[in-house]
Each structure stands twice: as C-alpha cells, then as structure tokens.
C-alpha cells in the first residue's frame, strides 16, 4: 500500500459560489447600467451614479443566487492519512484469520 485516504464528509461550495456571483453580478450590473438611458432628471445624479446603483443591486442579487447554487453543489472531502500512522495486523478468527487495519490520529 502506498497511499491511504480517509473520507471526512461532504463539502458545499457556497463561498466560491458567493464570490463568483458577486463578481458576475457586479460586472453584468455595470454593463447594464452603462447601456441604460439614465436621465439626470429622473435620478438627479450623474450617469455614473446610475451605473453604480444598477451594479450594486445586480451584484446583491447574483451574490444570493451564486451562494444558493454553490451550497447545492456538494463534493466529497477526503484527507490523506500518513502511512506511519497506519497499523496492520492479523487477527485470528474461528474460521481462519482476518486482516485488521487501524489508524492513529
């Protein structure tokens, strides 16, 4: 045996999803805000404020969506066990012998 891995648990990817959603939402929101016709009379502010507001709102929406998608994606989490912590022994049984493996943590 050259390597042993121990199954730990399932891991969700909510943090990665949150980051991707935030970046994608800010980018998409900025692009949409830039092509929108932001009338200063309506907003009372320059067009850059309009772009910022749209980007901020879309970033928040995409952040929540990305977090939900990332939370729903689950992968197995494995941890390698150093072989010097592994003990293998032969255990007598009523119908022969069995191989026993124990791991020290």
């Amino acid at each position: 045996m050259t390597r042993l891995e121990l199954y730990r648990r399932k891991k969700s990817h909510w943090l990665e999803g949150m980051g991707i959603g935030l970046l994608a939402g800010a980018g998409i929101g900025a692009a949409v805000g830039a092509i929108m016709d932001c009338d200063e009379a309506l907003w009372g502010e320059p067009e850059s404020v309009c772009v910022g507001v749209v980007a901020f709102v879309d970033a928040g929406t995409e952040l929540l969506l990305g977090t939900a998608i990332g939370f729903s994606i689950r992968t197995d989490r494995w941890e390698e066990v150093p072989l010097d912590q592994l003990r293998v022994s032969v255990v007598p049984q009523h119908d022969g012998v069995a191989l026993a493996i124990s791991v020290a943590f």
Side-chain angles (χ1 to χ4, degrees):
M1 184 181 323
T2 59
R3 182 174 158 170
L4 177 68
E5 289 186 346
L6 182 64
Y7 175 77
R8 285 298 186 187
R9 60 186 157 99
K10 295 259 185 207
K11 176 188 180 218
S12 72
H13 297 275
W14 67 270
L15 192 58
E16 293 91 343
M18 180 188 291
I20 291 169
L22 178 66
L23 292 175
I28 292 169
V32 169
I35 61 174
M36 282 178 60
D37 185 22
C38 295
D39 186 9
E40 283 191 41
L42 176 66
W43 287 84
E45 298 289 339
E47 187 173 341
S48 61
V49 172
C50 176
V51 173
V53 168
V54 172
F56 180 77
V57 170
D58 193 52
T61 304
E62 297 295 329
L63 179 138
L64 294 175
L65 180 62
T67 303
I69 291 171
F71 187 75
S72 68
I73 297 172
R74 297 186 168 275
T75 54
D76 292 338
R77 185 173 157 256
W78 293 84
E79 183 178 315
E80 188 170 345
V81 177
L83 292 180
D84 62 344
Q85 295 180 0
L86 183 68
R87 293 202 176 119
V88 180
S89 57
V90 178
V91 179
Q93 299 287 316
H94 62 31
D95 57 349
V97 293
L99 193 60
I101 299 174
S102 63
V103 178
F105 290 96

